């Protein structure tokens, strides 16, 4: 049912926000530290897990997709503006945490896509014959 997809999304959002609040408290910042991003990662992993085991019906997936299209971009935009304001008022630790999150996110792209670094080939790996000039 569609409502199960919405419930799954809401559960991931709730868990992500709680983890983000705990991370903020552990680092001494009075703000949610990456809760929306954590929620989105949880949603990706949980839906992938359920799909692999055949336990994610099409109607449930459509409930998730509906809110992905409508709700998540709004929440991300609101949280991003709050996090930036909190980061500047939180000082160097908050800025360092943000930079570290971006660097780790970029480093994990090959891992999450399943590509090895050795598989990446340069754009111009084969020499081409030039026409006579």
């Amino acid at each position: 049912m569609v409502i199960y997809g919405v419930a799954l999304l809401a559960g991931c959002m709730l868990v992500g926000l709680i983890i983000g609040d705990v991370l903020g408290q552990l680092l001494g910042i009075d703000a949610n530290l990456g809760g929306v991003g954590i929620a989105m990662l949880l949603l990706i992993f949980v839906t992938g897990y359920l799909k692999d085991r055949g336990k994610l019906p099409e109607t449930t997936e459509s409930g998730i997709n509906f809110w992905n299209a409508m709700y998540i971009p709004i929440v991300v935009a609101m949280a991003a503006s709050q996090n930036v304001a909190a980061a500047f008022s939180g000082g160097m630790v908050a800025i360092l945490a943000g930079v570290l999150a971006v660097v780790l996110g970029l480093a994990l792209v090959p891992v999450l896509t399943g590509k090895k670094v050795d598989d990446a080939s340069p754009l111009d790996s084969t020499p081409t014959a030039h026409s006579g000039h």
Side-chain angles (χ1 to χ4, degrees):
M1 299 176 77
V2 173
I3 193 72
Y4 293 144
V6 175
L8 181 63
L9 178 73
C12 288
M13 191 72 184
L14 183 63
V15 170
L17 290 176
I18 290 170
I19 292 172
D21 283 339
V22 169
L23 283 174
Q25 288 176 357
L26 289 175
L27 293 173
I29 302 167
D30 189 25
N32 185 303
L33 190 64
V36 175
I38 293 168
M40 293 303 96
L41 287 174
L42 279 173
L43 183 63
I44 291 167
F45 290 131
V46 168
T47 55
Y49 177 82
L50 292 173
K51 269 186 182 180
D52 289 345
R53 282 153 184 75
K55 296 187 181 207
L56 187 68
E58 185 67 34
T59 54
T60 301
E61 192 173 350
S62 70
I64 295 168
N65 290 335
F66 171 76
W67 282 107
N68 278 339
M70 297 294 288
Y71 180 69
I72 297 305
I74 296 168
V75 171
V76 169
M78 288 177 9
S81 65
Q82 291 173 352
N83 287 341
V84 168
F88 281 118
S89 67
M92 202 58 179
V93 173
I95 294 171
L96 181 64
V99 169
L100 183 63
V102 170
V103 169
L104 286 175
L106 291 173
L108 286 174
V109 168
V111 174
L112 294 175
T113 59
K115 294 186 179 189
K116 296 180 184 176
V117 176
D118 297 339
D119 291 345
S121 60
L123 293 175
D124 296 326
S125 61
T126 57
T128 57
H130 296 289
S131 57
H133 288 291

